[in-house]
Amino acid sequence: MENKRKIRFAVVGCGHIGKRHAEMVVRDPGAELVALCDIRPKEELGIEAYPVAFFSDLTSLLQSGLDIDVINICVPNGLHAEMAIQAIESGHHVVIEKPMALQVQDAERVLQASLKFQKEVFCVMQNRYSPPSVWIKQMIDSGRLGKIYLVQLNCFWNRDERYYKPGGWHGNAYLDGGTLFTQFSHFIDIMYWLFGDIQHIQARFADFNHQQLTDFEDSGLVTFEFVNGGMGSLNYSTAVWNKNMESSMLIIAENGSVKIGGQYMNEVEYCHIKEYEMPELAPTNPGNDYGPYKGSAQNHNFVIRNVVEVLQQSGAQNTTTALEGLKIVDIIRRIYALKSN
């Protein structure tokens, strides 16, 4: 590390997730936080712990002349693509919080900009780093499970008026995009990462207790086939009373069955595989705690570490590329295309 220059980051958007990014940059020995940016007044943001340059819009940050390698885009979903493109065109690599965009064509524009300007795009899909995910990925890639028959993904979370606050962007059709984008895109990412693309999608949606809170559904039942063989379902809801219930993935395959469960797909609950003994896995990081509601496992430190390693040319691979970010947007869009209205 001594002879390698620190990678210099600026974080745009200083909400819960933006502050998490800032904290992980500060903690990484190969990274340096040089600027923060938010449209809200600095005093309201609770960023006293980060005494760095502050800007109230992305344009002034980009025109400041500060030496910045990476811009982390942690703004509402609907703004991700435009801001990422602006940052790339001004010569910066970008880290984009999930989802990469809300429309396929916008995700494609981000990808095109990254190719044209030869800049890396890192999409945040932090669930890939949890020990059960790493383990099951190795199990599937090695062929240990044999043919995949059936995959069931269940995401049952609580998102109520403590989360969908009036005047906020959560729940807004243009800025949020929908339950699958904001709440569960990283679970769809895990599914795509493990099993590949889907086809022959069927879906039903309902809005049980969010009519006053959001512009979109709070629950859905989705079934599909995997292009690579086997079939699957995604059952999701944010209408769960009071607290998160579970996110889980059940896999039935030729040589055995596995269920990964817990609140954040953080524990292997069932593993019965031919001629196989389950190893002891490292513990999963706790979930992000936003006070009244909970989020996914706190794995953003792995995201920042990956960025640093890739940009310091240590031969590391980008863990979640723009192309993969694009595929997740594409899959969600194809699911949402089945909404009758």
Side-chain angles (χ1 to χ4, degrees):
M1 193 66 72
E2 298 69 42
N3 56 356
K4 288 184 175 169
R5 188 179 78 87
K6 287 192 176 189
I7 304 299
R8 296 163 64 86
F9 289 79
V11 176
V12 182
C14 298
H16 282 306
I17 294 292
K19 286 198 278 254
R20 159 91 34 218
H21 278 244
E23 182 60 29
M24 294 306 155
V25 168
V26 168
R27 288 187 196 178
D28 193 292
E32 184 183 350
L33 183 67
V34 292
L36 293 170
C37 175
D38 200 289
I39 55 171
R40 292 166 298 173
K42 188 178 180 180
E43 302 70 47
E44 288 177 20
L45 298 170
I47 53 173
E48 303 77 20
Y50 312 108
V52 296
F54 180 80
F55 299 89
S56 53
D57 64 89
L58 178 57
T59 303
S60 52
L61 167 67
L62 296 175
Q63 291 174 349
S64 67
L66 273 178
D67 177 15
I68 299 165
D69 301 302
V70 186
I71 308 264
N72 292 35
I73 310 288
C74 305
V75 295
N77 302 347
L79 308 174
H80 286 182
E82 288 307 328
M83 288 195 171
I85 291 166
Q86 193 183 344
I88 292 166
E89 288 178 345
S90 65
H92 300 84
H93 304 287
V94 291
V95 173
I96 311 177
E97 254 303 331
K98 63 170 179 53
M100 179 175 168
L102 293 181
Q103 303 293 342
V104 173
Q105 57 268 38
D106 290 335
E108 285 174 342
R109 286 170 53 227
V110 174
L111 180 60
Q112 286 159 353
S114 84
L115 294 171
K116 180 179 174 185
F117 292 89
Q118 297 186 311
K119 293 296 165 191
E120 290 278 356
V121 173
F122 301 86
C123 300
V124 174
M125 288 296 176
Q126 70 273 27
N127 279 31
R128 291 188 182 195
Y129 295 98
S130 69
S133 300
V134 174
W135 168 76
I136 194 66
K137 174 71 170 164
Q138 290 164 344
M139 294 293 287
I140 290 164
D141 288 357
S142 68
R144 171 72 76 157
L145 290 175
K147 288 195 184 109
I148 302 298
Y149 294 157
L150 186 69
V151 176
Q152 185 182 55
L153 200 62
N154 289 320
C155 302
F156 301 133
W157 281 12
N158 160 265
R159 290 288 182 263
D160 53 25
E161 64 285 343
R162 294 170 295 184
Y163 178 86
Y164 291 115
K165 292 190 168 81
W169 65 272
H170 290 299
N172 173 294
Y174 168 69
L175 288 175
D176 183 319
T179 302
L180 288 180
F181 279 115
T182 303
Q183 310 305 331
F184 303 131
S185 62
H186 42 319
F187 295 107
I188 292 173
D189 171 73
I190 286 289
M191 186 179 75
Y192 172 69
W193 183 55
L194 295 174
F195 308 108
D197 207 353
I198 63 172
Q199 60 189 0
H200 306 144
I201 306 168
Q202 295 179 295
R204 299 177 68 175
F205 305 94
D207 194 10
F208 293 115
N209 64 9
H210 288 63
Q211 289 96 336
Q212 311 306 313
L213 298 176
T214 71
D215 296 337
F216 39 75
E217 90 295 347
D218 60 26
S219 305
L221 304 174
V222 188
T223 59
F224 42 82
E225 291 170 16
F226 291 104
V227 174
N228 296 333
M231 59 184 188
S233 67
L234 163 65
N235 307 298
Y236 69 94
S237 182
T238 51
V240 177
W241 179 74
N242 196 45
K243 68 174 188 179
N244 287 359
M245 183 175 166
E246 73 167 284
S247 23
S248 66
M249 182 168 58
L250 186 147
I251 304 163
I252 296 173
E254 183 180 11
N255 298 332
S257 304
V258 174
K259 184 183 179 191
I260 299 175
Q263 229 187 99
Y264 316 102
M265 284 203 331
N266 51 349
E267 55 204 57
V268 179
E269 294 183 350
Y270 184 90
C271 174
H272 186 55
I273 298 166
K274 185 172 157 186
E275 295 165 2
Y276 181 78
E277 194 65 44
M278 175 85 206
E280 183 79 27
L281 299 183
T284 303
N285 285 341
N288 280 306
D289 191 336
Y290 303 119
Y293 61 92
K294 303 287 185 279
S296 278
Q298 300 176 7
N299 289 333
H300 284 88
N301 54 314
F302 296 112
V303 176
I304 300 302
R305 185 87 290 263
N306 181 235
V307 175
V308 170
E309 288 177 349
V310 170
L311 298 184
Q312 285 183 338
Q313 272 98 31
S314 59
Q317 295 259 295
N318 182 341
T319 314
T320 317
T321 63
L323 193 56
E324 292 173 295
L326 167 82
K327 278 307 300 182
I328 306 318
V329 177
D330 168 57
I331 289 170
I332 294 173
R333 273 285 151 228
R334 283 186 282 141
I335 293 170
Y336 275 164
L338 298 168
K339 285 190 178 182
S340 51
N341 54 1

